[in-house]
Every structure is written in C-alpha cells, then in structure tokens.
Amino acid sequence: MHRVYGHERLLDRISSSLAAGRFPQATLFTGPTGVGKQRIAIWVAQGILCENGPAAPCGTCHSCGQIERLSHPDLHWFIPIPRPKAGEPDKQVEEAAGLLAEAVAERRANPVYGHPDGLASHAIASVRLLHRIVSLRPFQGPRRAVILANAERLVVQEASPEAANALLKVLEEPPPGTYLLLTSAEPQGLLPTIRSRLVPLRVGGVGDDAVRRFLSSELEPPLMGTALEQRVVMAEGSIGRAVAAAPSGSGAVQAAERLLAAVQGGAQRWAQAALAQAPWSARGEFTAVLDALGHRLREALVKRAGNDPAGAQRVAIAVRRVEEIRAVAQGNVNPQLALAVLARHLERLAA
Ligand SMILES: [Zn+2]
C-alpha cells in the first residue's frame, strides 16, 4: 500500500482515540469520492492490529508489515463484487470469498485503483461471509478489523430481512475486539437503521501539496511539470479524482483504440487483440476497456450523425453491442472470448 497523503489532523485525532482505548467499534467514514476513506480505514486497521498498539501504527512490527502487504489474517476488506452465481447459500458464500480475495489481490497489484464497477455490490453472500468471520475468534491476536467499502452498495437492505437483522446485530454490538470500519461517499444511501448504529467520521479533501506529492511519487510514470500542476488543479483535494482524470493516457483507452484499429485490419488482427486482453484477473479493467470503447464509438456517432446517416446507424448498433457485452461481462464470461465476439460484430458493421 502507498502511505496516507494528507489528512494529518484527522489521523492525529484518531491516534489519540486509539491510544486512549476509546476508538468506536463501528464507524462510518464519509466524504467525497477519492479522498482516501478506504486508505484511512486501512491505516486505522493497522493501528488497531499493531503489536505496539492500539495506537498510530508503528510501521515496523510484523503485523504492520502484514497490513502493508494486505496479507494480515485479521484484516478483512469487503469490496463490492459481482453477484455470486451459485445456487446454494453456502456455495454463494464460498464464491463471494473467492471473488473478494481476487478483488483484494487486484488492489495489491495496483494500489492506485479506480471506482468499483457500477453493478458490483455487497450481496447477501458477502454479508453472510462477514457474519461468519466475526463469529469466529481472530486468528493472530486479540483484535480484528473489518472494512466494508462503498457501504451504500449493501444489497441486504432490501433483499433479505434475516441477513439485514444479523448485520444490524453485529453493528449494534460488535464482538469483543472486532472493529467495523464502513466507508461511503453516499451515506444517505444507507438504511437509517444501519447508519444510526455507526459513529460518523468525516474525511475532507487534502491540500494541493498532498495531491502533488502523491502524483509525483506514486504514479508510474510519475507526473511532472505542467501536467502535474494541471492535475493538481483538477483534483480539488481528491487524490482519487486526480488519478481518474487521466483517461487519455490510460491503459483502458489504449486497449480500446488497439481493438478498433485491429478491427480495420481483419480477423487475424482482432483475434490477436482479443487474446492480448487479460483472461480473468482484472475484471474491473475489462469493463473499463468496454467503457472506453463505448465512449469512443459515441464520439464517432455524434460526428457522423449530421452527414452520414447510414454510417451513424451502424455505429449506433455497434454502441448497443458494446453495451450488451458489458452487461454479460459482469458474469462469469471469459473477457478474451467476449472481446472476440464483439470484434466480429464490429468488423461486420465496418464492412
Ligand atoms: Zn506496528
């Protein structure tokens, strides 16, 4: 994990409350998208689990190291995931555990992550898994930390009264040593019964200097000069926004451009382009490629609408195909195969 940039005063306040043993067991970090709510929650988890704590993380003990590598057995990070497909509830829970491990592995590989996919959620299986985890003893020490990110995506709210009640019970009276850290940029999307059980902690924006330090040291390649200063202005205190403001150079846009160019080059070229897509590991990345592709086609549609109605209609069909593939991409579909099917449609439309 990269370190926390900015938020010094908030971290100071949290440190004192950790050291005094007064940090609440169920908290809700709120604040704008991309300001670092989850990163702060991980910092708090590190402080809770630190061998010299609870206090501000010492950064040198075994446990602090495990948190930095996201491999601590008592750190549980719930990230919105695609809805599990299995039929039986027990199988669904296992599937959710696998999907979560995959999602955390992705963040370990790429700590500068984007927003989760629009259809990902905390389905009932995730809530059951959470319940199962907190009903066991922590593995390594007396405490554990459970982070639940984008909490407004808790599906349990409407879908299952018994799972919702189980969750409410855990939030109301967390088991000894269990700390629940929820984050949300849209806390009004949480049920009042859930929200009322959480102690709110407001995470504000960071200063330009923190954004600048992040962009010049954590990005690959690092930003410099005018590009750096432009991005600092666009960030408006949100490092996440600064990172997301890089679409023209991003991997997804490049991959979309490559695919479109390959479609012009015939079957052999687009088959190669489809195979170049990572098969399973980076599902979020795959949907980002489809989003970039859709965006690019919509631009073409606008350009053609006035002077080439037949061409515009073909592009409109292409946009629809991209949207269809994007919808099935949420499931257990192989991204390489999906891209090959899409490229074939696009080739026919281009002919
Ligand atoms: Zn430590």
Side-chain angles (χ1 to χ4, degrees):
M1 296 286 326
H2 60 76
R3 59 189 190 78
V4 181
Y5 286 81
H7 301 296
E8 292 83 0
R9 277 166 61 194
L10 176 63
L11 298 192
D12 270 356
R13 260 172 52 213
I14 295 176
S15 301
S16 333
S17 112
L18 281 171
R22 280 198 320 262
F23 192 78
Q25 277 183 272
T27 46
L28 175 63
F29 293 82
T30 65
T33 304
V35 286
K37 298 181 292 299
Q38 295 181 63
R39 182 61 191 90
I40 291 173
I42 287 175
W43 184 90
V44 175
Q46 194 175 22
I48 287 168
L49 299 171
C50 175
E51 284 158 27
N52 299 307
C58 74
T60 53
C61 72
H62 179 62
S63 174
C64 279
Q66 285 178 311
I67 300 273
E68 258 152 45
R69 295 187 297 277
L70 294 178
S71 64
H72 197 296
D74 293 313
L75 170 70
H76 305 276
W77 191 2
F78 284 80
I79 300 166
I81 51 171
R83 196 174 291 243
K85 296 280 177 297
E88 278 175 56
D90 279 352
K91 290 254 164 65
Q92 280 183 3
V93 172
E94 276 166 36
E95 198 183 330
L99 289 167
L100 281 169
E102 229 176 79
V104 171
E106 252 176 58
R107 291 193 174 183
R108 194 182 294 128
N110 179 19
V112 186
Y113 54 83
H115 208 51
D117 189 274
L119 292 175
S121 67
H122 300 290
I124 297 165
S126 295
V127 175
R128 292 212 170 98
L129 177 65
L130 188 154
H131 201 244
R132 198 180 277 183
I133 289 168
V134 302
S135 55
L136 299 170
R137 278 171 183 281
F139 289 100
Q140 200 163 286
R143 290 177 291 274
R144 77 153 64 82
V146 180
I147 296 169
L148 192 137
N150 306 89
E152 72 285 351
R153 299 205 192 182
L154 271 164
V155 172
V156 65
Q157 306 197 89
E158 329 66 67
S160 162
E162 47 103 9
N165 282 335
L167 179 66
L168 288 178
K169 228 168 162 183
V170 170
L171 294 176
E172 186 153 79
E173 208 176 331
T178 292
Y179 289 79
L180 299 145
L181 310 152
L182 282 71
T183 75
S184 178
E186 300 156 39
Q188 68 286 359
L190 278 161
L191 276 183
T193 45
I194 292 184
R195 215 168 52 219
S196 66
R197 286 164 166 84
L198 301 165
V199 177
L201 278 167
R202 176 88 193 157
V203 182
V206 298
D208 286 355
D209 193 46
V211 178
R212 193 174 289 117
R213 276 184 283 131
F214 180 94
L215 294 175
S216 52
S217 43
E218 301 290 348
L219 288 191
E220 200 44 64
L223 278 179
M224 286 180 296
T226 341
L228 171 64
E229 290 313 313
Q230 275 174 356
R231 201 76 74 74
V232 170
V233 173
M234 280 155 90
E236 294 179 65
S238 158
I239 286 173
R241 192 179 302 149
V243 170
S248 60
S250 84
V253 174
Q254 283 167 7
E257 296 290 348
R258 269 201 305 276
L259 186 74
L260 283 174
V263 165
Q264 316 284 335
Q268 210 179 346
R269 284 211 45 214
W270 59 247
Q272 274 172 359
L275 281 174
Q277 169 67 35
W280 296 112
S281 57
R283 205 172 290 279
E285 200 179 285
F286 177 49
T287 43
V289 172
L290 293 176
D291 286 344
L293 198 56
H295 183 75
R296 180 75 172 58
L297 288 170
R298 273 186 213 96
E299 276 177 358
L301 183 60
V302 172
K303 266 187 214 152
R304 289 194 186 191
N307 49 23
D308 176 12
Q313 200 181 354
R314 286 204 301 274
V315 181
I317 297 171
V319 171
R320 208 178 315 141
R321 292 273 181 267
V322 172
E323 281 165 1
E324 284 162 11
I325 297 281
R326 197 187 184 290
V328 295
Q330 301 309 316
N332 244 349
V333 64
N334 178 333
Q336 294 174 332
L337 197 60
L339 273 192
V341 170
L342 182 63
R344 194 167 169 178
H345 283 309
L346 295 178
E347 190 190 17
R348 283 205 196 120
L349 286 164

